[in-house]
Amino acid sequence: MDTDMQRRLAGLLHHRSAGLEKGDPISLPLTTSTSYHLPDVQGAAFVYGRNGTPTWEAVEAQLALLEDAECLSFPSGMAAIAASLFATLKTGDRVIIPSDGYYVTRVLSEGFLTPLGVDVVQIPTLDYATADFTGAAVVYLETPSNPGLDVVDIADVVVRAHAAGAVVIVDNTTMTPLLQRPLDLGADLVVAADTKAPAGHSDALFGHVAGRDPARMARVRDWRRMSGATPGAMEAWLVHRGLETLEVRLERMCASAGVIAARLAEHPMVLKLRYPGLPDDPSFAPSQRQMAGFGFLIGMTLKDATVAEGFLERCPYLVRSTSFGGTHSAGERRARWGDAVPEGFVRLSIGVEPTEALWEAMDAALR
Ligand SMILES: *Cc1c(COP(=O)(O)O)cnc(C)c1O
């Protein structure tokens, strides 16, 4: 990690200090007020809860340090994704989205953008490397793809998309700004579900949009205020707490994932293993170029659905849930949602358990 990022992470932990008066609380107060003292309307920092609150502002200050960009918070990852698309697209535009990415983005696009006259084109993540973006208004990508973990070169996509006149939006949920920095690679907007690793404790839905073009961000801010897609105070407060430990959690999660992925790849019960950090993985080379770590998600294929479910049932340290990025390791058979993966494919999200205890339990459950 470079010294600039180190300083920004330290700043994240102390970002409120400069504004403290003697006797103020050190930890962030949870402000639930929807209205603010307004004897007149000029010069008030806060006006009404749908426009902005001190609690969101504190989270956005942390996120801005991480992204090195203006950030707007949203009540979920999907609210952030919807804001980025609705603030950018208009009737007659074409948007390219991944056919193998987060499925709700596809459902949202087909169900709500298509009927408004937006041409929604779906292509697999790996095809972004060669696709012709002529005629696209927005190129929206997700890398590594979820759950397949295919990786495409962001800087290369950006150059070709910009040449075609398109705006580039990257869903950076699986990596977080600590592991991958799409804005530094030229992307126009980043969207992310902070529900996952940033909040980190599986108890808050949250999302954000980040960008460096003030006019584009102003439009996203207007969308939030007018659509009313505003985060709750409690969730903002929880995410603020979660972000303080994101870096240390990710360090354990990624280190454990690397160790466990290498062992799973050699395991007699495992038919196929995907982890971007394994040298013979198809995603290894592009990941090494553009990611600061290989993440905490592993794609593991077992013999069939029964073997996969049996493994998940027997392993005491894997919660059987559909999300990822939490403190608890989690596993899920993705075919149950209709993802285009084998029946025995399990997506693993490695948590912060001590590595060897987790491995011992997984190995025993596999055998
Ligand atoms: C979870 C997720 C989302 C949606 O986030 P929510 O907070 O559940 O709305 C979007 N993109 C990706 C890649 C995700 O994993």
Side-chain angles (χ1 to χ4, degrees):
M1 190 190 305
D2 65 28
T3 47
D4 177 55
M5 193 64 201
Q6 292 216 8
R7 285 194 197 109
R8 278 191 278 119
L9 283 168
L12 185 156
L13 288 156
H14 295 276
H15 78 99
R16 295 180 59 254
S17 302
L20 293 180
E21 305 279 347
K22 197 186 285 185
D24 277 353
I26 291 296
S27 78
L28 177 69
L30 169 57
T31 304
T32 55
S33 188
T34 55
S35 46
Y36 297 84
H37 182 55
L38 274 186
D40 62 79
V41 296
Q42 302 306 322
F46 300 100
V47 172
Y48 179 57
R50 183 155 36 73
N51 299 20
T53 79
T55 323
W56 308 350
E57 206 153 88
V59 181
E60 287 169 2
Q62 291 177 313
L63 291 169
L65 283 162
L66 287 178
E67 296 278 13
D68 199 11
E70 181 181 355
C71 291
L72 290 164
S73 53
F74 283 87
S76 65
M78 279 317 303
I81 290 167
S84 75
L85 293 171
F86 281 89
T88 314
L89 287 162
K90 60 182 189 320
T91 301
D93 281 349
R94 177 179 304 153
V95 58
I96 315 273
I97 60 170
S99 57
D100 51 354
Y102 190 68
Y103 75 102
V104 189
T105 305
R106 298 199 294 275
V107 179
L108 170 76
S109 301
E110 284 168 352
F112 291 89
L113 293 174
T114 304
L116 290 176
V118 173
D119 181 20
V120 176
V121 176
Q122 300 191 19
I123 62 172
T125 295
L126 289 177
D127 286 8
Y128 280 71
T130 49
D132 178 3
F133 298 131
T134 308
V138 170
V139 172
Y140 178 105
L141 67 148
E142 205 183 304
T143 174
S145 63
N146 169 30
L149 302 179
D150 285 331
V151 167
V152 66
D153 189 311
I154 298 173
D156 172 62
V157 170
V158 165
V159 167
R160 289 182 298 110
H162 282 173
V167 169
V168 177
I169 304 176
V170 179
D171 181 337
N172 200 35
T173 300
T174 54
M175 286 290 107
T176 85
L178 284 169
L179 301 179
Q180 179 167 271
R181 310 189 56 73
L183 295 174
D184 290 354
L185 299 172
D188 300 292
L189 292 176
V190 157
V191 293
D194 297 306
T195 307
K196 312 290 170 54
H201 296 72
S202 315
D203 55 9
L205 284 166
F206 212 76
H208 75 270
V209 178
R212 293 174 181 162
D213 176 43
R216 213 182 294 292
M217 290 303 285
R219 207 159 149 74
V220 175
R221 188 184 292 273
D222 282 348
W223 168 267
R224 178 174 69 178
R225 185 163 52 88
M226 294 170 200
S227 70
T230 54
M234 184 68 191
E235 284 73 15
W237 188 88
L238 286 166
V239 173
H240 189 273
R241 163 171 288 205
L243 284 169
E244 294 201 337
T245 56
L246 175 61
E247 189 223 345
V248 288
R249 282 184 285 112
L250 277 180
E251 203 170 291
R252 167 68 65 83
M253 288 156 71
C254 295
S256 288
V259 168
I260 286 170
R263 292 180 189 171
L264 286 175
E266 302 294 314
H267 203 285
M269 297 297 286
V270 176
L271 302 188
K272 188 167 176 222
L273 197 91
R274 290 298 308 269
Y275 180 66
L278 294 178
D280 55 358
D281 190 277
S283 295
F284 182 69
S287 300
Q288 219 179 13
R289 278 200 301 277
Q290 70 185 7
M291 285 149 49
F294 298 109
F296 48 83
L297 293 178
I298 298 173
M300 171 175 77
T301 306
L302 300 179
K303 186 161 156 274
D304 54 31
T306 313
V307 172
E309 294 290 357
F311 161 71
L312 293 171
E313 195 178 308
R314 283 189 299 275
C315 186
Y317 299 148
L318 288 177
V319 296
R320 303 179 72 182
S321 68
T322 191
S323 199
F324 61 80
T327 50
H328 311 85
S329 291
E332 181 184 40
R333 206 172 58 78
R334 289 301 299 182
R336 69 181 186 167
W337 296 107
D339 282 357
V341 291
E343 285 295 323
F345 176 90
V346 174
R347 182 184 67 195
L348 296 168
S349 170
I350 302 302
V352 300
E353 299 88 352
T355 314
E356 292 305 329
L358 179 59
W359 168 251
E360 195 179 72
M362 287 174 67
D363 183 38
L366 277 173
R367 286 165 201 279

